[in-house]
Amino acid sequence: MNGQPLEGRALRTVFAALMLGMFLAALDQTIVSTALPTIVGDLGGLNHLSWVVTSYLLAATVSTPLYGKLGDMLGRKPVFLAAILIFLAGSMLAGLSQSMGQLIAFRALQGVGAGGLMVGAQAIIADIVPPRERGRYMGLIGSVFAVASVAGPLLGGFLVDNLSWRWVFYVNMPIGALAVLIVVTRLRLHTPAIRHRIDVLGALLLSVGVASLTLLTAWGGNEYAWGSPTIVLLGVAGVVVLGLFLWWETRAAEPILPLALFRSRVFSVASGMGFTIGMAMFGAIVFIPVFLQLVYGASPTSSGLRMLPLMAGLLTAAIVSGRVITRIGRYRPFPIAGTAILAVGMYLLSRLSVDTAPWLASVYMLVVGVGIGLVMQVLVLVVQNDARAENIGVATSTATFFRSVGGSFGVAIFGTIFASRLAGELADFPKQVTARLGSGVHLSPEQAKALPQAVHSDFLHAFANALHGVFLFGMVLAIIPFALSWFLREVPLRTTLAPAAELAAEEAPAAATPDERLVSAAR
């Protein structure tokens, strides 16, 4: 970073490349879902199907903090380029896979690149746009996730129907190549000349600890029972290894995650908010398509389209709030309003039933989308504005990391709540019916439609009732970041890219002599 922000056409061109990188990472979280049945039919390996998604998410989550620190140490541009190239290599190899094992491995390679795409794009924005102007760009970055969430399943379905499931991965190549070309030719960033010592042990401990807990949340209640030795071992390993990680980070010369960041109340509060919002958002939203498909009988593609109100609310709120923050220079009202609206939206979702009109369900989803859009990207802006210049990358990655881990925990906890409540609802069903339904948790829409009419109707009511508890828990979770948001201190958004110099200059008395101002700026 040279202290001079990009402007005009140069900024728009670079920002477009960063958006493309973010879009690729977000798209590949969802584009595979509609292709999975076809992939299994071609490659086999049905029992390993979930790993096609899990390996990607796990690798992306684990690599996120590492990219933040590497960007601070080695320079944002080379690390971002490396992430794109790793992602493209994983995409090409995934498309060429000849077995389920190969596909899972190459999806993990994709995930390693995706972690750097998400963090790198947001950190580079911090290098080229002052915080006061950054709100509008963070709003647009937030909109990328909304668009990718809808476009992923639709594009995946189109490619599978008209070309091949392999094009779900090949489609990344031209988009990624364009992003590489723009970043190489248009992006000019300062690369640190200082030699650094990479915290290899810290990176290893963090990766193992996070991987253990992520697998625990992914497998618990699905692959293995919650009390099984595998899940218990993963939980113990995760806690112990992360404890060792925290101990080591207090002694490392250049820690991969500087614990000094948490001395800032702004950073600590924002991280806590990101974690709990991630739990509420990912944990609850994953059940909305299931409701649409089972209760309304919507197809997977149709259920994606019916999610448009939620995405439209997120898109609009993120862009509008970003522009308003840029204009007024204040951010604190938006997390407060966003978390309050999210809590209201979760309560409204808890009122969904078999008899709820589809248009009313759309209104409820719109409210949830607005709440998420007002808060998610603002938290990244908050931690970037608060962090020292040399910690921008690791602060950005930590904020993203807490949100991702919160989402993993949310999906697991909400899944457990749903399974427990559905089991209670089905307890009154005749034994011959429950023998056919099983737990009911993994009943597909096609299997549900095949049930006798009377059983089908009763099952849908039981299913909707079980979801009430899921969304009510989401409302309770949303109240936590709402309470935390009142402790989020308003730090004036800087208007330059040189935080230390500007803050010192702002603290210097207006009437000071040039020599006094020089001494003040040097402090």
Side-chain angles (χ1 to χ4, degrees):
M1 183 174 68
N2 56 17
Q4 297 298 320
L6 286 179
E7 295 178 345
R9 184 177 179 182
L11 175 58
R12 289 193 294 272
T13 303
V14 170
F15 184 68
L18 300 179
M19 292 269 283
L20 287 175
M22 290 281 287
F23 181 72
L24 286 175
L27 186 71
D28 266 65
Q29 291 182 358
T30 57
I31 194 173
V32 176
S33 58
T34 49
L36 287 177
T38 308
I39 292 173
V40 170
D42 191 8
L43 300 181
L46 178 62
N47 54 325
H48 301 302
L49 181 64
S50 63
W51 271 103
V52 176
V53 177
T54 303
S55 62
Y56 180 88
L57 296 177
L58 178 61
T61 302
V62 167
S63 64
T64 295
L66 311 184
Y67 276 109
K69 185 61 177 180
L70 289 175
D72 288 336
M73 294 170 60
L74 307 177
R76 224 79 70 197
K77 181 176 177 178
V79 172
F80 187 65
L81 281 173
I84 297 179
L85 294 175
I86 291 171
F87 182 85
L88 293 181
S91 299
M92 176 58 74
L93 292 170
L96 295 171
S97 297
Q98 299 301 311
S99 68
M100 187 63 78
Q102 289 180 8
L103 179 60
I104 290 168
F106 297 140
R107 279 285 287 169
L109 185 62
Q110 264 192 309
V112 171
L117 292 177
M118 294 181 183
V119 172
Q122 295 178 97
I124 288 172
I125 288 296
D127 275 357
I128 61 179
V129 180
R132 178 64 185 266
E133 301 298 318
R134 204 178 298 156
R136 70 180 70 176
Y137 297 99
M138 284 301 184
L140 289 169
I141 281 179
S143 70
V144 168
F145 290 95
V147 173
S149 297
V150 175
L154 298 179
L155 181 59
F158 173 82
L159 292 172
V160 170
D161 291 339
N162 294 278
L163 293 169
S164 159
W165 66 262
R166 298 181 186 277
W167 278 94
V168 167
F169 304 107
Y170 293 152
V171 73
N172 296 325
M173 304 308 293
I175 303 174
L178 178 59
V180 169
L181 179 65
I182 296 174
V183 171
V184 169
T185 59
R186 300 294 182 184
L187 182 60
R188 300 284 186 270
L189 291 177
H190 169 66
T191 299
I194 304 171
R195 290 182 62 85
H196 292 275
R197 294 178 60 186
I198 298 178
D199 180 16
V200 177
L201 180 57
L204 181 62
L205 290 172
L206 180 61
S207 299
V208 172
V210 172
S212 298
L213 294 183
T214 304
L215 287 176
L216 182 149
T217 58
W219 285 350
N222 295 312
E223 302 287 332
Y224 303 94
W226 280 107
S228 66
T230 300
I231 296 300
V232 172
L233 183 61
L234 283 173
V236 172
V239 171
V240 170
V241 173
L242 287 181
L244 288 173
F245 167 74
L246 294 175
W247 171 82
W248 172 253
E249 291 301 273
T250 62
R251 289 155 176 78
E254 292 193 50
I256 201 79
L257 200 166
L259 300 183
L261 288 172
F262 292 94
R263 294 174 188 165
S264 165
R265 193 177 81 178
V266 171
F267 183 85
S268 298
V269 170
S271 297
M273 289 179 64
F275 181 81
T276 48
I277 289 172
M279 288 182 71
M281 182 181 74
F282 291 110
I285 288 178
V286 74
F287 284 97
I288 296 178
V290 181
F291 176 85
L292 295 174
Q293 291 178 38
L294 271 172
V295 176
Y296 291 151
S299 66
T301 302
S302 176
S303 67
L305 289 173
R306 290 186 185 221
M307 293 279 286
L308 279 174
L310 189 150
M311 303 311 165
L314 194 160
L315 188 79
T316 304
I319 293 175
V320 171
S321 63
R323 290 185 173 275
V324 173
I325 288 171
T326 294
R327 188 168 69 246
I328 68 176
R330 295 172 59 84
Y331 57 75
R332 190 167 176 262
F334 297 95
I336 294 174
T339 48
I341 292 172
L342 178 60
V344 171
M346 289 297 180
Y347 171 75
L348 292 175
L349 288 180
S350 75
R351 310 308 300 161
L352 288 174
S353 68
V354 175
D355 302 319
T356 303
W359 70 265
L360 192 56
S362 296
V363 172
Y364 295 169
M365 287 187 276
L366 178 69
V367 174
V368 171
V370 170
I372 295 170
L374 287 176
V375 65
M376 287 304 291
Q377 290 307 119
V378 176
L379 293 179
V380 177
L381 172 62
V382 168
V383 298
Q384 288 180 343
N385 184 61
D386 182 66
R388 296 172 62 89
E390 64 270 22
N391 288 329
I392 286 287
V394 74
T396 303
S397 66
T398 303
T400 305
F401 170 74
F402 274 110
R403 183 177 65 194
S404 298
V405 174
S408 297
F409 276 81
V411 170
I413 294 172
F414 280 50
T416 301
I417 292 172
F418 174 67
S420 175
R421 285 182 60 89
L422 186 57
E425 292 287 337
L426 297 179
D428 295 332
F429 278 50
K431 288 185 177 180
Q432 60 269 29
V433 174
T434 53
R436 184 172 179 178
L437 290 174
S439 67
V441 174
H442 301 294
L443 201 68
S444 69
E446 291 74 21
Q447 290 172 320
K449 289 177 184 176
L451 293 172
Q453 184 59 41
V455 175
H456 180 254
S457 176
D458 289 342
F459 173 74
L460 291 186
H461 279 90
F463 179 86
N465 290 338
L467 276 183
H468 292 171
V470 170
F471 293 125
L472 281 175
F473 184 68
M475 180 192 73
V476 173
L477 276 179
I479 292 173
I480 296 174
F482 173 70
L484 287 174
S485 66
W486 291 95
F487 296 94
L488 191 64
R489 189 163 55 90
E490 182 87 62
V491 178
L493 293 174
R494 300 187 306 272
T495 57
T496 74
L497 293 174
E502 185 191 25
L503 288 176
E506 288 175 353
E507 291 169 359
T513 65
D515 288 341
E516 289 171 334
R517 285 198 297 270
L518 189 62
V519 171
S520 177
R523 287 174 183 164

